[in-house]
Amino acid sequence: MKFKKIVIANWKMNPNSLSEAEEIFKGIKKRVNKFKNLKVVICSPFVYINNLKQLNKKEIISLGAQDCFNQEKGAWTSMISASMIKSVGASFVILGHSEKRLIGEDDKQINQKIKLAFKNKLKVVLCIGEKERDEEGVYFSFLENQILSALSGINRKFIKNILIVYEPIWAVGKSSRRVISDKELQEISIFIKRVLMDKFGEKDFNLIKILYGGSVSHKNVEDLIQNGGVDGFLVGRDSLDSRKFNKILDVVDKN
Ligand code: PGA
């Protein structure tokens, strides 16, 4: 991935209608034209991807999905495959989000999904994150385990198509307890890099981009990009308001 930084919108199960989705998308697209080093990705609900693609013929914004199923095709009512996502114009897929893990997605399924995503030439936005922090630092081994099980058996040639998002559950969404500090983020970023270096070696580990997600806003993003040691962000709530999201993009682009 050639760009320097990346900001990914995770719209979750929003907005409520296609027309609203198109409005937000147009509001963001106007701004994105001017960025040189910043890649912007919008991960909308599946049903909007094809329509957003029509508004985005020059691919100024990259499109993504928020999940794919862990089987290739067949009798799986309601499920969406990696190949379907690719065929409607998405190039990214979020996998392992805490809101999916919460309703039963496990490490094995995430690993299967990642393999199918790569098979279909999608870039994988892998989310990891602990629920609580303990004083002894057990959460470090929890994070290591999430990374290693998700990436188990992944062919090296796909390393460049992986982005890892650190999303501590305590900082995600409306019920988040607090915002992460730049120092805390820097520590985790170094830790993730060490895990990746041990797994993939000194030459390749840097090909994997590391992002942060969890209550990112235009108010905290400057500190986090300047001192957090990350390549970008996954933004939930503030990506649904094009004005707020564009402010985040401006800050990341300038830093
Ligand atoms: P938030 O969501 O920015 O609303 O905390 C982030 C995410 O869950 O990806």
Side-chain angles (χ1 to χ4, degrees), residues 101 128-131 137-147 169 191:
R101 295 184 195 250
I128 59 160
E130 77 284 359
K131 197 163 168 213
V138 175
Y139 61 93
F140 282 108
S141 43
F142 177 81
L143 294 174
E144 177 169 18
N145 193 41
Q146 280 193 326
I147 297 172
I169 297 173
F191 175 75

Side-chain angles (χ1 to χ4, degrees), residues 9-12 14-15 24 28 235-242 245:
N10 178 11
W11 282 0
K12 309 192 180 187
N14 299 294
I24 304 170
I28 298 169
V235 184
R237 280 157 293 160
D238 278 13
S239 68
L240 288 160
D241 176 327
S242 58
F245 191 61

